[in-house]
Amino acid sequence: MTELELDGLVKRFGDVTAVNGVSLTVDAGSLVALLGPSGCGKTTSLRMIAGLEQPTEGDIRFNGESVLHLAPEKRNIGMVFQRYVLFPHMNVAGNVGFGLRMRGLPKPVIAERVAEVLDIVQLGGFERRFPSQLSGGQQQRVAIARTVITNPRVMLMDEPLSNLDAKLREEMRAFITELQKRLEITTVFVTHDQVEAIELADQVGVMFDGDLVQFGTPEEIFNHPKTPRIADFMGATNLISGTLLEKGSQDCVLESSVRKLRIGHVPEHAVGNSVLATVRPEHIDLSLPSETGDAVENAFKAEVSEAVYFGGTLSYRVRAGDFSLQVKDRSTRHFAEGEEVIVRIDPAHLWVFPEADTELHARA
Ligand SMILES: Nc1ncnc2c1ncn2[C@@H]1O[C@H](COP(=O)(O)OP(=O)(O)OP(=O)(O)O)[C@@H](O)[C@H]1O
Ligand SMILES: [Mg+2]
């Protein structure tokens, strides 16, 4: 197995800095998702790992050894792209066995390996079909089979599921996770889809404008984003500003314009500092004033300013003072626009950003 290390990777194209000093380690046999909006440098990072671009600065190491001097074909990398360019005139067996034929392996050996790998991608018996006779998902599985058959040290996948419809994408996600765990191929998976990154990856690297802004487990990125911009990108849109009033050993208290809020962790910031906190829309509880008084910890009165039915959940906007919070409620009850409700936020779900970015600070 191969550990992949990116060390201060920079790529400039003239005036454009596509990748701005990215350092991270992909543990041997694990899957890292590079996640970020269009143009943030994901593909350029992959192309440098593959050897298709030379970095302007920095190093790329496989098991501690630099591969910068190696040509792409010497790095033993498998690549899967958004457009699974299969050879249209070759059947499935021909496509999957291509890499081994190039290496001059004997025909019976190739046939055996092809059958083995097709079994792994659940396409046993499809050898004689042509790409035009396969569904999109099946074509993408052939593309993956063609890549894994060469036993690559590192597999690079650039938005491989974005051409598939939503249901197939979910199936393929599960399929890739299972395959990657089984074959233990060190993998970098590029996507701009947060859910995809969270579901697939052992570690997620979030990129904005060429910078790696956070690297951690899906749980860390989802629940403990470093900055408001990362939170926003991960769908945590609620920002609460206030002053840090107290710090305990397990928790802290935020003085906000609406009420004091207890927060279930201890941030680095000093008492007295202005800080920003966030809570995900699905982590806010709503109830009627007749059910819950606002004397309860972290509860306050608010008014429903908007109620929208949204894919199996009800999405609300509630206002209290200068708070305007988005709430996703999965319960069956329905609060009406204009109704008074009690908002309660579990201290465990409130998170104070360790860093602020000025851009969103202004908006909050
Ligand atoms: N060969 C090139 N010459 C000049 N600029 C380039 C070149 N390749 C990429 N760039 C620029 O570098 C930046 C990063 O591009 P990159 O393709 O890595 O983005 P990406 O994160 O893969 O985006 P997407 O999600 O749209 O595929 C962009 O601003 C892009 O225009
Ligand atoms: Mg790209």
Side-chain angles (χ1 to χ4, degrees), residues 4 6 9 11 43-55 59-62 66-79 81 154 156:
L4 165 67
L6 310 184
L9 219 48
K11 182 66 190 181
T43 296
T44 306
S45 302
L46 279 199
R47 289 175 58 80
M48 287 192 279
I49 300 168
L52 302 170
E53 297 286 358
Q54 241 351 74
D59 201 0
I60 299 166
R61 291 185 281 267
F62 288 6
S66 178
V67 295
L68 284 191
H69 62 286
L70 293 178
E73 65 277 10
K74 297 274 191 259
R75 294 190 189 185
N76 198 0
I77 274 174
M79 286 195 87
F81 300 97
V154 172
L156 304 176

Side-chain angles (χ1 to χ4, degrees), residues 170-232:
E170 267 178 44
E171 283 174 28
M172 283 297 290
R173 260 182 229 154
F175 169 78
I176 289 175
T177 314
E178 209 261 323
L179 179 86
Q180 196 270 335
K181 290 284 163 285
R182 178 165 161 192
L183 301 178
E184 297 188 308
I185 303 178
T186 307
T187 302
V188 183
F189 186 105
V190 158
T191 180
H192 59 258
D193 180 333
Q194 304 84 319
V195 178
E196 198 161 281
I198 295 287
E199 283 193 6
L200 274 168
D202 297 302
Q203 305 262 316
V204 178
V206 182
M207 288 184 75
F208 290 147
D209 312 319
D211 292 315
L212 182 73
V213 290
Q214 190 167 358
F215 186 69
T217 63
E219 200 274 333
E220 280 163 359
I221 306 277
F222 197 70
N223 291 319
H224 300 148
K226 265 195 189 167
T227 68
R229 190 173 171 203
I230 300 170
D232 192 47

Side-chain angles (χ1 to χ4, degrees), residues 299-312:
F300 50 89
K301 279 203 184 88
E303 187 189 300
V304 175
S305 57
E306 201 183 279
V308 185
Y309 189 72
F310 182 77

Side-chain angles (χ1 to χ4, degrees), residues 115 118-119 121-127:
L118 282 180
D119 261 353
V121 300
Q122 296 152 23
L123 285 176
F126 280 69
E127 281 86 342

Side-chain angles (χ1 to χ4, degrees), residues 11-291:
K11 182 66 190 181
R12 289 190 204 99
F13 297 104
D15 290 345
V16 179
T17 303
V19 176
N20 189 24
V22 167
S23 299
L24 61 85
T25 300
V26 186
D27 293 336
S30 76
L31 188 150
V32 163
L34 284 183
L35 171 68
S38 182
C40 71
K42 305 181 296 291
T43 296
T44 306
S45 302
L46 279 199
R47 289 175 58 80
M48 287 192 279
I49 300 168
L52 302 170
E53 297 286 358
Q54 241 351 74
T56 312
E57 287 170 30
D59 201 0
I60 299 166
R61 291 185 281 267
F62 288 6
N63 287 340
E65 279 182 38
S66 178
V67 295
L68 284 191
H69 62 286
L70 293 178
E73 65 277 10
K74 297 274 191 259
R75 294 190 189 185
N76 198 0
I77 274 174
M79 286 195 87
V80 181
F81 300 97
Q82 179 177 354
R83 281 187 197 74
Y84 21 90
V85 269
L86 301 176
F87 300 115
H89 59 285
M90 278 185 203
N91 63 20
V92 167
N95 268 286
V96 174
F98 183 78
L100 298 185
R101 278 205 305 287
M102 288 292 105
R103 294 179 186 188
L105 266 67
K107 269 189 181 166
V109 176
I110 296 176
E112 198 180 314
R113 276 292 284 154
V114 166
E116 226 175 87
V117 172
L118 282 180
D119 261 353
I120 294 175
V121 300
Q122 296 152 23
L123 285 176
F126 280 69
E127 281 86 342
R128 293 180 185 284
R129 293 255 202 125
F130 283 85
S132 61
Q133 300 169 316
L134 300 172
S135 73
Q138 289 167 339
Q139 289 184 46
Q140 191 56 304
R141 278 188 276 154
V142 172
I144 293 170
R146 186 177 59 179
T147 304
V148 300
I149 200 168
T150 58
N151 282 326
R153 298 185 74 181
V154 172
M155 185 152 67
L156 304 176
M157 306 182 104
D158 196 350
E159 313 232 11
L161 308 183
S162 53
N163 272 3
L164 306 176
D165 65 50
K167 187 169 174 295
L168 198 53
R169 210 155 53 219
E170 267 178 44
E171 283 174 28
M172 283 297 290
R173 260 182 229 154
F175 169 78
I176 289 175
T177 314
E178 209 261 323
L179 179 86
Q180 196 270 335
K181 290 284 163 285
R182 178 165 161 192
L183 301 178
E184 297 188 308
I185 303 178
T186 307
T187 302
V188 183
F189 186 105
V190 158
T191 180
H192 59 258
D193 180 333
Q194 304 84 319
V195 178
E196 198 161 281
I198 295 287
E199 283 193 6
L200 274 168
D202 297 302
Q203 305 262 316
V204 178
V206 182
M207 288 184 75
F208 290 147
D209 312 319
D211 292 315
L212 182 73
V213 290
Q214 190 167 358
F215 186 69
T217 63
E219 200 274 333
E220 280 163 359
I221 306 277
F222 197 70
N223 291 319
H224 300 148
K226 265 195 189 167
T227 68
R229 190 173 171 203
I230 300 170
D232 192 47
F233 188 68
M234 298 309 292
T237 43
N238 294 321
L239 298 177
I240 296 172
S241 60
T243 308
L244 198 57
L245 200 62
E246 278 172 49
K247 287 210 291 189
S249 61
Q250 310 280 330
D251 57 4
C252 67
V253 178
L254 181 78
E255 173 93 77
S256 75
S257 61
V258 169
R259 71 157 297 163
K260 285 180 193 168
L261 293 169
R262 193 166 73 80
I263 298 182
H265 71 107
V266 191
E268 296 274 305
H269 310 277
V271 168
N273 278 11
S274 298
V275 298
L276 262 184
T278 188
V279 56
R280 296 190 61 87
E282 60 271 33
H283 288 151
I284 298 177
D285 291 324
L286 299 184
S287 55
L288 293 171
S290 56
E291 299 166 328

